Amino acid sequence: MPKQARALRTYDRVLDAAASEFALKGYARTNLQHVADRTGLTKGAVYGHFSSKEELAGVLEHHFETVTDDLLCHARQSGAPPVDRLGSLVRSLADLFEKDVRVRAALRLTAEMPRPDGCPPPVLDGIQRDTRALLREIQDAGRLPPSLPPETVADLVVAVLFGTHYTTTACGQEGLGSRVHAMWDVLSSALLDHGAQDGPGA
């Protein structure tokens, strides 16, 4: 068991080191020697856990999908009013982008890697889809004016979330969450009817 625990700790060290390299340098300029240097391990020891740079990138992207799916699932299933669920989702994603280096790496990889089908990555498509669905619920509850298309407002919300991340340098993520929180407060104050009550037919 101690040997397994050490192996898991080393696995995590390598993955975090790779995430830091990918987030800072991107896919093309990251190599396994730099990852090994960050951990203090030999390159051979790194290969003992990951066979290639491609495998590391795939594990990081899977991590991004998993943690994001958890947040989306909570937003769909929570019994809170839809406007609260959307605000919580936006804030939680922003905090994740700021604090989780594995997610930041996956975001950069997602932006850099071409997709043969030309479609957005499934995780980004899921965020867009669920944001639109929540805004339709908000509009049905009387909180979003009928003149504002939920799809357009969703595009704006997602652009704020991802645009704030992508316009922040890899070395300066501190405060990203609070910036998005403040932007969400401005957007929700400007777009949503705070005099209406949540609930169908309100």
Side-chain angles (χ1 to χ4, degrees):
M1 182 62 72
K3 184 176 181 181
Q4 290 179 341
R6 284 197 300 271
L8 287 173
R9 284 197 297 270
T10 302
Y11 178 95
D12 284 335
R13 282 173 58 201
V14 172
L15 194 57
D16 285 339
S20 296
E21 287 289 311
F22 282 130
L24 183 64
K25 300 176 182 176
Y27 185 83
R29 294 196 301 125
T30 292
N31 63 59
L32 291 184
Q33 184 59 60
H34 294 157
V35 173
D37 292 343
R38 275 186 178 267
T39 61
L41 299 170
T42 66
K43 191 174 179 181
V46 171
Y47 275 118
H49 293 276
F50 298 96
S51 62
S52 65
K53 183 169 72 169
E54 290 83 359
E55 183 182 358
L56 276 163
V59 171
L60 291 168
E61 289 173 339
H62 178 70
H63 170 75
F64 180 32
E65 293 170 2
T66 299
V67 295
T68 301
D69 283 348
D70 288 344
L71 292 176
L72 293 175
C73 184
H74 178 74
R76 287 192 298 267
Q77 296 180 357
S78 169
V83 68
D84 293 342
R85 285 185 278 141
L86 179 57
S88 177
L89 175 63
V90 170
R91 293 185 181 98
S92 296
L93 285 168
D95 290 342
L96 191 68
F97 293 177
E98 177 182 359
K99 297 172 182 176
D100 190 331
V101 68
R102 297 181 186 183
V103 167
R104 293 201 302 275
L107 282 165
R108 179 156 185 174
L109 292 168
T110 297
E112 290 182 349
M113 303 297 274
R115 296 187 62 82
D117 56 10
C119 296
V123 63
L124 302 186
D125 190 52
I127 292 171
Q128 185 88 1
R129 181 194 62 240
D130 284 16
T131 300
R132 289 175 177 175
L134 284 167
L135 280 159
R136 292 189 195 101
E137 288 187 50
I138 292 169
Q139 192 167 67
D140 290 343
R143 296 290 302 275
L144 181 68
S147 59
L148 296 178
E151 293 77 14
T152 302
V153 178
D155 289 343
L156 180 59
V157 171
V158 173
V160 165
L161 177 62
F162 284 92
T164 304
H165 167 75
Y166 284 121
T167 55
T168 302
T169 66
C171 295
Q173 293 289 323
E174 296 81 3
L176 183 148
S178 60
R179 289 169 60 199
V180 172
H181 292 198
M183 291 179 192
W184 169 250
D185 290 342
V186 170
L187 279 177
S188 62
S189 295
L191 299 175
L192 303 181
D193 181 1
H194 293 273
Q197 298 295 315
D198 288 292

